[in-house]
Amino acid sequence: QVDAFYASIILFAGRVWDAITDPMVGFFISKTSWTRFGRLMPWIIFSTPFAVISYFLIWFVPDISTGQVMWYLVFYCAFQTLVTCFHVPYSALTMFISREQSERDSATAYRMTVEVLGTVLGTAIQGQIVGKVDTPCIESSFFGLTNSSVAMEELNMTHDTKSLTDTRNAYMIAAGVIGGLYILCALILLLGVREKRESSELQSDEPVSFFQGLKLVMNHGPYIKLIAGFLFTSLAFMLLEGNFALFCTYTLGFRNEFQNILLAIMLSATLTIPFWQWFLTRFGKKTAVYVGISSAIPFLIAVVVLDSNLFVTYVVAVAAGISVAAAFLLPWSMLPDVIDDFKLQHPCSHGHEAIFFSFYVFFTKFTAGVSLGISTLSLDFAGYQTRACFQPGQVNFTLKMLVSAVPVGLILLSLLLFKLYPIDEEKRRKNKKALQDLREESNSSSESDNTELASIV
């Protein structure tokens, strides 16, 4: 029952805080000393319990008359920071479990498959537990009062107090279950994954300041082109996913089906990630990007042009899931190639992998915040009425734009940016050969140094 304006401020402040913490955490990780657990794993170990606690407190309603906004702002920013301390090293582990491009691509495919599956599981847990509480829609005549604040005050007076208590309890139970899964998955990661330390990184490097490291990374052309394409692709699919439930409920009239339609999207994405992994191996990553991401365009147009039809909606949901799988997998699969290219151009500069991944993590969360802001403002200007049984015509038109026209335009823009991305299959093969030569040269140099030291002794 926090005012919508303050809720938006909390979300916006959290995203701004993310913009500060993501690259800083990436830099601090790159400067972390190697331990017996590795360099990345300690961040995951120590951030997990605090992240779970802060996540639970986000869903807790404190028994205080004032200060609720500050409560949620503090714990939302704390949770975002702690998730960064988990997600950045977790993502960067891809570079430390194998040197082979094919093995890293395979690891990325497994990782993204399980991440999408985790999204399905989390959505199902949250939806089933919270959905058990009956929150009926409000007839349009109820909103005929003088203004929306009066309407919501009247709603709170007539709303059953027991139902509100049940809703609060349901959110905390869901938070507890998801927090338990968070801890379980962190334990599996800790016990099942080992970092490999490259011989070239055993050598002592000159310390690089935060801004020097940031400048090196952000001046790398292939990386800038890749994250630009990734930004618009993510924003397109975030807008689609974030508004598809409202679109199904109000514009298409499938109020009782939207959970199943969203489930169809996520299951389709989960099942087709292995296909895209095979496709990129067979035809190359840039080709897979063009085919995979653009395949959603005709279906997104069809769902708003054709008359409301449940079968067509499910077909669109499955097709959207196929493209979501490509949008999840391919940019993450291309990032290790960019880091390899960076290593060749800066052979004496090591340990910047976490900075590369930190900006990727940041843009993932940034697009989620931007899509939320675009959706909230657009629907508010269109006259969206919270929990209403029906919405005005302007809202239905806005929802059509948010799930069709805007995502299609963003996808086309991202494809143009990916066209500028310079690392094709031939470039990848050359980089792989050059890195192998560089490692062999480094190893032979290290062996000769050891032999010379032994002879001196």
Side-chain angles (χ1 to χ4, degrees), residues 159-215:
H159 190 57
D160 185 9
T161 305
K162 182 178 183 299
S163 176
L164 183 60
T165 303
D166 291 342
T167 303
R168 290 176 175 175
N169 293 336
Y171 275 113
M172 286 191 289
I173 292 170
V177 173
I178 292 175
L181 284 174
Y182 194 124
I183 295 173
L184 175 63
C185 294
L187 286 174
I188 293 172
L189 184 68
L190 173 64
L191 298 175
V193 178
R194 289 291 178 270
E195 296 176 52
K196 292 182 180 179
R197 191 177 186 183
E198 290 194 14
S199 60
S200 61
E201 293 184 352
L202 296 175
Q203 305 166 3
S204 61
D205 301 318
E206 289 295 326
V208 178
S209 70
F210 173 74
F211 291 105
Q212 285 177 324
L214 192 62
K215 184 178 179 182

Side-chain angles (χ1 to χ4, degrees), residues 65-260:
S65 57
T66 59
Q68 278 192 338
V69 173
M70 185 56 63
W71 171 282
Y72 292 117
L73 177 62
V74 168
F75 286 111
Y76 182 70
C77 290
F79 177 67
Q80 293 293 338
T81 303
L82 292 162
V83 166
T84 297
C85 293
F86 184 102
H87 201 184
V88 170
Y90 164 72
S91 303
L93 271 173
T94 306
M95 299 299 298
F96 293 91
I97 58 178
S98 177
R99 295 177 180 176
E100 293 295 323
Q101 290 180 350
S102 58
E103 291 181 355
R104 291 190 314 224
D105 290 345
S106 177
T108 301
Y110 276 103
R111 179 169 71 86
M112 299 316 299
T113 300
V114 177
E115 280 198 22
V116 177
L117 189 61
T119 305
V120 174
L121 184 62
T123 304
I125 290 171
Q126 184 89 354
Q128 290 299 317
I129 295 176
V130 177
K132 296 292 184 182
V133 182
D134 182 31
T135 53
C137 65
I138 307 163
E139 294 296 336
S140 299
S141 59
F142 186 84
F143 290 95
L145 300 174
T146 55
N147 56 56
S148 60
S149 61
V150 174
M152 291 310 297
E153 183 180 352
E154 181 72 17
L155 172 62
N156 293 333
M157 292 173 60
T158 58
H159 190 57
D160 185 9
T161 305
K162 182 178 183 299
S163 176
L164 183 60
T165 303
D166 291 342
T167 303
R168 290 176 175 175
N169 293 336
Y171 275 113
M172 286 191 289
I173 292 170
V177 173
I178 292 175
L181 284 174
Y182 194 124
I183 295 173
L184 175 63
C185 294
L187 286 174
I188 293 172
L189 184 68
L190 173 64
L191 298 175
V193 178
R194 289 291 178 270
E195 296 176 52
K196 292 182 180 179
R197 191 177 186 183
E198 290 194 14
S199 60
S200 61
E201 293 184 352
L202 296 175
Q203 305 166 3
S204 61
D205 301 318
E206 289 295 326
V208 178
S209 70
F210 173 74
F211 291 105
Q212 285 177 324
L214 192 62
K215 184 178 179 182
L216 278 174
V217 170
M218 298 309 293
N219 281 342
H220 191 56
Y223 183 60
I224 297 300
K225 294 179 176 67
L226 182 60
I227 59 174
F230 176 60
L231 173 65
F232 290 106
T233 302
S234 298
L235 184 56
F237 286 102
M238 289 286 184
L239 282 171
L240 173 63
E241 291 177 30
N243 293 283
F244 203 68
L246 293 175
F247 177 72
C248 292
T249 301
Y250 295 113
T251 306
L252 299 181
F254 302 137
R255 176 178 295 275
N256 298 323
E257 289 288 336
F258 78 86
Q259 299 98 329
N260 298 327

Side-chain angles (χ1 to χ4, degrees), residues 57 66 104 113 212 257 280 314 331 334 340 346 355 415:
L57 292 175
T66 59
R104 291 190 314 224
T113 300
Q212 285 177 324
E257 289 288 336
L280 69 85
Y314 272 106
M334 296 160 82
D340 285 345
H346 304 86
I355 299 178
L415 292 176

Side-chain angles (χ1 to χ4, degrees), residues 224-303:
I224 297 300
K225 294 179 176 67
L226 182 60
I227 59 174
F230 176 60
L231 173 65
F232 290 106
T233 302
S234 298
L235 184 56
F237 286 102
M238 289 286 184
L239 282 171
L240 173 63
E241 291 177 30
N243 293 283
F244 203 68
L246 293 175
F247 177 72
C248 292
T249 301
Y250 295 113
T251 306
L252 299 181
F254 302 137
R255 176 178 295 275
N256 298 323
E257 289 288 336
F258 78 86
Q259 299 98 329
N260 298 327
I261 294 171
L262 289 176
L263 187 61
I265 293 176
M266 301 312 296
L267 286 178
S268 172
T270 305
L271 295 174
T272 51
I273 283 180
F275 165 76
W276 289 119
Q277 174 62 22
W278 168 84
F279 193 96
L280 69 85
T281 304
R282 178 70 177 81
F283 299 101
K285 295 181 182 180
K286 287 190 71 172
T287 303
V289 166
Y290 299 145
V291 175
I293 297 176
S294 62
S295 62
I297 292 177
F299 296 98
L300 294 179
I301 296 173
V303 76

Side-chain angles (χ1 to χ4, degrees), residues 417-431:
L417 292 170
F418 279 123
K419 183 71 174 175
L420 302 174
Y421 176 70
I423 303 178
D424 53 16
E425 292 307 299
E426 182 180 356
K427 179 72 170 175
R428 284 184 68 210
R429 285 190 291 268
K430 289 181 179 178
N431 285 351

Side-chain angles (χ1 to χ4, degrees), residues 192 342 379:
F342 177 84
L379 292 173

